[in-house]
Amino acid sequence: MNLTVLAASGRTGIALTRQALRRGHTVTAIARDPRRIPLPDTPALRRVTGDVHDAASIAAVVDGDSVVLSALGTDRAGTLLTGARAVVAAGPRRVIWLGAYGTGRSAAAAGAGAGMLAGVLGDRLPDKVEADDTVLAAGGTVFHAGMLTDGPESPRRRTVGLDAAPPFDLGAKVSRETVAAAMLDEAEEPGFPGAVALPLAA
């Protein structure tokens, strides 16, 4: 497949790009500074400069044949929604977006932990929720991951919908490699179009 990875220079974006190449896909890797994508050069990897605050730079790369996997994250309110709108407006075939478990549509399933997240995220919470809703309204899939780590991909990983979501647990971490693998599974064989999915380590 031809995949487009947004925020490809971040830790999750690097995991997505590396795993996609390993699976035999071609990848267009978008980053504000593509030189910060620490992967070997290969004909299957195209590095592109893009910034979600410049919608034209996203539209120049994303089109109706694109399957976009977003690892966009930020400490600034407004960036996620701006990014979601820019990606959706570019009209890709599919969007697979990374969000946070316990926010928006997964808050009820997460239970008491959702309240703690709201306090941590502050004014970034509405931005995160609106970004997710923008992607879902366009038929995309949003992965709500728990606390992320830099460990290896879990051999017992699984992906579930909100109907099978466990309560939020700070100790139940999930590696970025596990999340990347789940997002790529969804790109290859859609199981949760227009829905929230949870990547679990076990």
Side-chain angles (χ1 to χ4, degrees):
M1 296 177 66
N2 297 313
L3 304 177
T4 300
V5 176
L6 182 63
S9 62
R11 285 180 289 178
T12 306
I14 291 167
L16 277 167
T17 304
R18 181 177 52 244
Q19 287 193 35
L21 292 169
R22 190 183 302 149
R23 293 187 186 202
H25 303 299
T26 59
V27 179
T28 298
I30 305 174
R32 283 181 294 178
D33 182 357
R35 295 170 298 179
R36 296 182 58 196
I37 303 171
L39 296 173
D41 289 330
T42 166
L45 175 61
R46 175 186 174 215
R47 304 167 201 260
V48 176
T49 301
D51 187 331
V52 296
H53 292 284
D54 176 10
S57 72
I58 303 302
V61 181
V62 175
D63 60 25
D65 291 326
S66 300
V67 175
V68 178
L69 298 100
S70 172
L72 187 63
T74 181
D75 291 329
R76 273 193 314 166
T79 298
L80 291 175
L81 180 56
T82 298
R85 286 174 172 167
V87 169
V88 169
R93 179 155 53 98
R94 293 194 64 223
V95 181
I96 300 167
W97 189 265
L98 180 58
Y101 186 42
T103 64
R105 300 196 188 187
S106 67
M116 180 201 67
L117 275 178
V120 171
L121 291 170
D123 65 352
R124 289 175 292 157
L125 179 59
D127 177 48
K128 190 176 281 289
V129 172
E130 286 187 67
D132 289 356
D133 287 345
T134 298
V135 171
L136 292 169
T141 301
V142 176
F143 275 82
H144 275 192
M147 302 297 291
L148 297 176
T149 71
D150 290 323
E153 178 184 336
S154 170
R156 296 183 296 146
R157 68 178 181 84
R158 60 195 176 99
T159 300
V160 301
L162 288 178
D163 58 338
F168 183 86
D169 179 1
L170 272 174
K173 298 180 176 9
V174 60
S175 72
R176 290 178 173 83
E177 297 290 341
T178 297
V179 172
M183 292 175 71
L184 285 164
D185 288 348
E186 182 68 18
E188 293 171 347
E189 190 171 338
F192 298 92
V196 172
L198 274 65
L200 303 177

